[in-house]
Structure formats: C-alpha cells, structure tokens
Amino acid sequence: MKAMKYIGLLLVAAILLLVLVAKFSIVVSRFECAGKVTSEGSSQPVSIFIKLEKVRWWVGLWSDLDASAWLEIPNEFFDYYPHVVEVGDQLQIFDSQKALQGNFSRLSKALALKTPRGLFEGTCKRVD
C-alpha cells in the first residue's frame, strides 16, 4: 500500500512538471513596426505587427527551435515564420523551407523582412 502511495505522488509530480513546462516554455513579445515597403523601385510607408515567440532553454533538450515569428500587415496579410535563430543580439528569420527572409535586431529594434508586398525596413516598438 505504501508503494502505491509513492507511485501516486510521483505520477502527480510528473503531471505537474509537464504542465509547468508546457505553460512556461514560450515567452511572447509583440511589436509594432513603422517603416516602408520597397517593391519594384517604389516605396510606401506601412505599419506592421510582429509577434516573437522565444522558447526557454529547456526546450533545447528536445528541439532545435530558438523562436518563431508571426507577421501581420493589417487588413492585408498574415504569415508565420517557423524558424528564428538567435545570433548574438540579432534574430535571423527563416521561412518553412529554411530560406533567410530577414532579421530583427534586439538592440536597435530594427526589422528588415521580405514580405509578399516587398522588402519591409523599419524600427519597432514593443506593444505588450
């Protein structure tokens, strides 16, 4: 009977640990970025929104993911970049085929990113 009690406690502890790991494995940051989109030689001002989902260090035990990103151009476009790699203070943003699409500087908050409208370049401010 004592063994069943210990097994039950271990099971509860394992479930709690899994819940904590699942709940606290991602840190979300949201940014509003003002800049311009350049396409075929012409530029136009635009504001975009980006959500960065950075994973905690322990996720590296079972995954090679550093972060992922969501991009929204309001009323026009929404996209997901599943592979974001930290290189110092810079985040390199890749598409699902692992082709480099742009980068985000955590130091200056500058974003350069290929979008369906063209190349976006601008600076971001946090909007949590």
Side-chain angles (χ1 to χ4, degrees):
M1 199 62 162
K2 208 173 203 183
M4 291 298 283
K5 183 178 178 181
Y6 288 121
I7 290 173
L9 285 174
L10 285 174
L11 185 60
V12 168
I15 290 171
L16 286 174
L17 182 62
L18 284 173
V19 168
L20 287 174
V21 166
K23 178 126 177 97
F24 298 106
S25 289
I26 296 176
V27 177
V28 176
S29 303
R30 291 174 175 83
F31 297 91
E32 179 179 4
C33 307
K36 62 181 179 178
V37 171
T38 304
S39 178
E40 298 176 8
S42 66
S43 296
Q44 63 184 71
V46 68
S47 288
I48 68 169
F49 294 86
I50 191 160
K51 177 174 77 169
L52 296 173
E53 296 179 333
K54 184 180 180 314
V55 298
R56 303 277 188 176
W57 66 268
W58 59 77
V59 176
L61 298 174
W62 62 82
S63 173
D64 66 346
L65 180 67
D66 285 341
S68 60
W70 297 86
L71 168 74
E72 178 185 353
I73 300 174
N75 300 319
E76 288 185 36
F77 179 73
F78 190 79
D79 202 5
Y80 174 65
Y81 299 91
H83 195 71
V84 176
V85 177
E86 284 187 73
V87 180
D89 284 323
Q90 187 180 76
L91 300 176
Q92 295 179 338
I93 304 168
F94 297 86
D95 63 12
S96 57
Q97 285 77 38
K98 296 193 178 180
L100 183 63
Q101 298 298 304
N103 57 62
F104 176 74
S105 170
R106 292 189 310 185
L107 217 55
S108 66
K109 305 292 187 263
L111 175 67
L113 186 64
K114 293 177 193 172
T115 72
R117 287 187 56 194
L119 177 64
F120 174 84
E121 294 178 294
T123 56
C124 305
K125 63 180 180 180
R126 197 172 180 138
V127 290
D128 288 328

